[in-house]
Amino acid sequence: MTDRIRDYLRARRDLGLDEGPVMVLDLDVVRDNFSAFARALPDTRVFYAVKANPAPEVLSLLAEMGSCFDTASVAEMQMVLAAGAAADRISYGNTIKKERDIVRALKLGVRLFAIDCQGEADKILSATAQAEVEAGEVQVFCRILCDGAGADWPLSRKFGCEPEMAVNVLEHAHRAGLQAYGVSFHVGSQQANTEAWDGALASASMIFRECALRGIGLSMVNLGGGFPTKYLKQVPGVETYGDAIFRALTKHFGNQIPETIIEPGRGMVGNAGMIEAEVVLVSKKSEAEDEVRWVYLDIGKFGGLAETMDESIRYAIRTDHDEDRMAPCVVAGPTCDSVDVLYEKNHYPLPVSLAIGDKVWIDGAGAYTTTYAAVAFNGFPPLEQIVI
Ligand SMILES: Cc1ncc(COP(=O)(O)O)c(C=O)c1O
């Protein structure tokens, strides 16, 4: 917790405004994170993944600092434009787009698009005609599959195609008159292995060579996100990732290193946010002495902690009693839904003195929390966010 967050929460409590859970986000941390990315990967353009946290204050700060933006929808593009960044700093990074949304994006001035099959390239081509944009002005990059090994939140087979197929997809786009610009991948979110980029870069260089043989000059590799934030476990610093990525780029591209971009989401905002929540109930399921305690918080899977699904993300939960004896607990949310349990397979150690009404603090909550919160499931309001 930063001093600014601590002071803000104290003032909020003094005013009696600490009614429900809140996520407080410290912009100074986001500023430091952006600078750290720029230092660690100096020749790489940063496209902040807006989905991680689209708070207007975050977008304005990053726009001011020179960031570009990876967007998943037209709504996200509009937020970025409203924050003061021009359309030439926006990519439409979702491989699954409606044609009419592509038309809207083109009309907004966006010219950089992700694809992972020929059908998506065809939609873009058709959209260019409707938006009256020259096809040759539009840059497309093809996303390739990544197994996500080493990531706490792998992105599965939903996005991307096999590298061999990417060559044909890019050739198809090129023949259709679009600019075949490059290759993208995502090594899986919260990626603990700094070497995870190596295999994907080997595939990317193969695609560059194959395309060159077909007369298509690719120029860009989009290295995606995956840069971790600190939850319970320690993670390597961003400079270690920068070094490993530079080594892999040199290994696979020699002295012809392509233009690169990164799309950090979690690594940009995760450690900037902290949730303050409250213990609603502490109980047991039987009176046996060694029965595990259930600790119910006023925040759960539907209130912003969706990434506890399958216990993938293990947040650091702190209390005012952390000096006391700890005992394993099941941690659950407040709704009447049985899946609203955060940690049960792997019990979570919490102080035995933790009681109803106590506050708890959840660190590393700046990414993928507020926008995952349900609007009114069980009548609970979505997670409030305060940006300071
Ligand atoms: C296309 C794309 N880029 C970047 C990101 C951000 O990834 P991370 O939060 O791991 O940095 C995501 C996350 O889902 C994504 O889908």
Side-chain angles (χ1 to χ4, degrees):
M1 179 177 343
T2 66
D3 290 345
R4 297 178 72 222
I5 294 180
R6 187 175 300 111
D7 293 347
Y8 173 81
L9 286 173
R10 195 172 298 134
R12 181 175 182 261
R13 221 167 300 143
D14 290 347
L15 291 168
L17 297 173
D18 55 335
E19 176 57 34
V22 65
M23 195 269 272
V24 188
L25 188 119
D26 186 341
L27 279 182
D28 283 355
V29 180
V30 181
R31 189 176 291 112
D32 290 349
N33 289 340
F34 182 85
S35 303
F37 276 114
R39 267 196 313 275
L41 290 143
D43 299 319
T44 297
R45 272 193 303 162
V46 175
F47 280 65
Y48 169 60
V50 175
K51 59 179 80 69
N53 189 326
E57 299 89 339
V58 170
L59 300 182
S60 300
L61 170 70
L62 292 175
E64 232 171 77
M65 294 187 82
S67 186
C68 300
F69 297 88
D70 158 51
T71 60
S73 64
V74 173
E76 283 192 352
M77 285 167 208
Q78 283 162 335
M79 293 180 210
V80 170
L81 292 170
D88 62 358
R89 283 159 69 185
I90 297 177
S91 79
Y92 200 164
N94 195 343
T95 50
I96 306 148
K97 305 174 279 298
K98 287 182 178 166
E99 190 170 307
R100 53 186 180 275
D101 285 332
I102 302 172
V103 174
R104 289 183 186 117
L106 288 168
K107 286 186 174 164
L108 289 175
V110 175
R111 296 290 182 268
L112 181 56
F113 293 82
I115 55 174
D116 67 359
C117 63
Q118 296 189 359
E120 200 66 19
D122 292 341
K123 275 193 237 166
I124 294 174
L125 186 68
S126 162
T128 55
Q130 293 169 58
E132 297 178 4
V133 168
E134 284 295 320
E137 279 178 33
V138 175
Q139 298 179 308
V140 295
F141 57 87
C142 185
R143 181 156 168 178
I144 54 173
L145 284 164
C146 242
D147 66 8
D152 285 347
W153 193 259
L155 296 176
S156 82
R157 289 182 63 79
K158 182 171 174 185
F159 315 100
C161 63
E162 293 293 348
E164 293 71 25
M165 176 170 151
V167 178
N168 293 331
V169 171
L170 286 163
E171 184 178 16
H172 179 80
H174 171 78
R175 303 239 173 275
L178 299 165
Q179 257 187 67
Y181 182 40
V183 177
S184 79
F185 53 83
H186 194 301
V187 295
S189 201
Q190 191 66 10
Q191 175 57 263
N193 178 10
T194 56
E195 303 299 324
W197 280 258
D198 184 74
L201 281 170
S203 301
S205 77
M206 179 281 286
I207 296 168
F208 269 57
R209 281 195 306 277
E210 280 300 312
C211 279
L213 290 175
R214 298 183 194 188
I216 305 159
L218 302 181
S219 49
M220 187 277 291
V221 177
N222 176 344
L223 302 157
F227 307 94
T229 197
K230 187 181 168 302
Y231 295 109
L232 264 184
K233 280 185 278 176
Q234 260 328 321
V235 289
V238 66
E239 59 292 341
T240 317
Y241 286 84
D243 290 346
I245 288 172
F246 184 69
R247 268 198 312 277
L249 277 166
T250 311
K251 176 172 152 195
H252 298 295
F253 287 90
N255 57 8
Q256 291 190 308
I257 293 184
E259 183 190 328
T260 50
I261 68 181
I262 52 169
E263 299 176 335
R266 194 184 300 278
M268 188 72 83
V269 288
N271 64 339
M274 208 214 49
I275 289 173
E276 179 174 86
E278 185 180 318
V279 176
V280 182
L281 180 67
V282 181
S283 66
K284 290 183 171 187
K285 301 296 171 190
S286 86
E287 282 157 355
E289 216 11 67
D290 58 354
E291 180 73 26
V292 69
R293 284 171 309 151
W294 281 62
V295 173
Y296 299 89
L297 304 177
D298 63 355
I299 185 166
K301 279 205 164 70
F302 302 100
L305 302 182
E307 289 197 322
T308 56
M309 205 184 294
D310 298 327
E311 308 195 9
S312 302
I313 296 295
R314 206 158 168 87
Y315 289 100
I317 304 175
R318 291 182 302 99
T319 78
D320 265 341
H321 307 271
D322 289 347
E323 306 298 302
D324 295 353
R325 186 166 67 81
M326 296 282 182
C329 298
V330 175
V331 184
T335 64
C336 296
D337 192 307
S338 58
V339 305
D340 193 10
V341 176
L342 309 182
Y343 304 115
E344 185 175 18
K345 270 191 295 185
N346 298 298
H347 290 157
Y348 199 102
L350 286 172
V352 289
S353 49
L354 189 68
I356 293 168
D358 283 347
K359 297 284 190 215
V360 301
W361 295 279
I362 302 172
D363 277 327
Y368 305 116
T369 51
T370 47
T371 44
Y372 265 139
V375 171
F377 186 50
N378 278 222
F380 291 105
L383 178 60
E384 183 189 0
Q385 174 166 230
I386 307 285
V387 179
I388 57 171

